[in-house]
Amino acid sequence: MENCIFCKIINKELPSYEVYSNDYVYAFLDINPVNYGHTLVVPKKHYENLEEIDERNLKELIIAVKKIGKAIKDGLNVNGYNIGINNGSVAGQIVPHLHFHIIPRLEDDGIKLMPQRKYIEDKASKYAEKIRRALE
Ligand code: AMP
Ligand code: ZN
């Protein structure tokens, strides 16, 4: 897609630090890493978000995430990593081309996950019901 920074990276119109590539997927270092080795894994076809991608490409994408996660563990000698998608601008998505972040974690790196809350009253059953209905 024109004017998409990640499509330009995939097409080599912009530079990147390549980590992995196959027919479906491209992976490269995030230029502003949370930790060194922070990698972005993107479908080669342009999909804006997780709702848009078809199952074939999604399958290839998650298989690549698994493979690269293991390589991050083995290659960077870390014990774990976080995987995330910022899906939608309200969730912090800046680049509108679907991508997984894989963030290697170091012991005592001080990175905090998102703060969690408690459900009040009957909110948990109400929210579960709303999601179940939308799945029907
Ligand atoms: P998101 O908020 O999930 O859309 O994250 C987009 C990510 O892309 C950010 O973490 C940026 O640091 C990263 N990014 C933006 N431009 C580039 C680029 N040219 N090369 C590598 N990473 C980039
Ligand atoms: Zn794109």
Side-chain angles (χ1 to χ4, degrees):
M1 171 171 278
E2 241 178 278
N3 287 329
C4 170
I5 190 169
F6 287 177
C7 283
K8 285 184 178 161
I9 286 174
I10 292 159
N11 296 330
K12 309 284 187 204
E13 292 163 46
L14 285 173
S16 68
Y17 293 95
E18 179 177 331
V19 166
Y20 179 74
S21 181
N22 68 20
D23 287 348
Y24 298 89
V25 174
Y26 188 71
F28 55 102
L29 294 185
D30 192 306
I31 206 68
N32 293 125
V34 174
N35 278 328
Y36 285 1
H38 178 168
T39 296
L40 301 176
V41 189
V42 311
K44 282 193 171 170
K45 272 182 78 179
H46 181 95
Y47 304 97
E48 188 165 332
N49 55 43
L50 195 56
E51 292 84 68
E52 278 188 6
I53 192 169
D54 60 81
E55 292 191 359
R56 179 65 210 265
N57 280 280
L58 179 60
K59 185 177 161 199
E60 296 292 340
L61 188 61
I62 194 68
I63 289 169
V65 167
K66 181 178 178 184
K67 194 182 183 80
I68 296 160
K70 181 167 174 12
I72 283 176
K73 248 176 126 169
D74 295 346
L76 305 184
N77 204 23
V78 296
N79 288 328
Y81 46 87
N82 291 102
I83 296 172
I85 297 177
N86 298 324
N87 203 57
S89 58
V90 74
Q93 183 175 10
I94 294 165
V95 178
H97 181 132
L98 175 64
H99 52 282
F100 275 93
H101 293 256
I102 309 181
I103 302 169
R105 293 301 302 272
L106 314 173
E107 303 298 337
D108 303 322
D109 61 18
I111 295 161
K112 297 263 185 288
L113 296 178
M114 285 186 245
Q116 287 178 274
R117 304 155 65 183
K118 300 260 182 253
Y119 280 105
I120 55 163
E121 299 155 359
D122 57 350
K123 293 283 188 198
S125 61
K126 287 200 165 138
Y127 273 73
E129 176 65 14
K130 284 185 199 200
I131 298 166
R132 276 201 304 270
R133 279 216 195 120
L135 283 165
E136 281 167 8

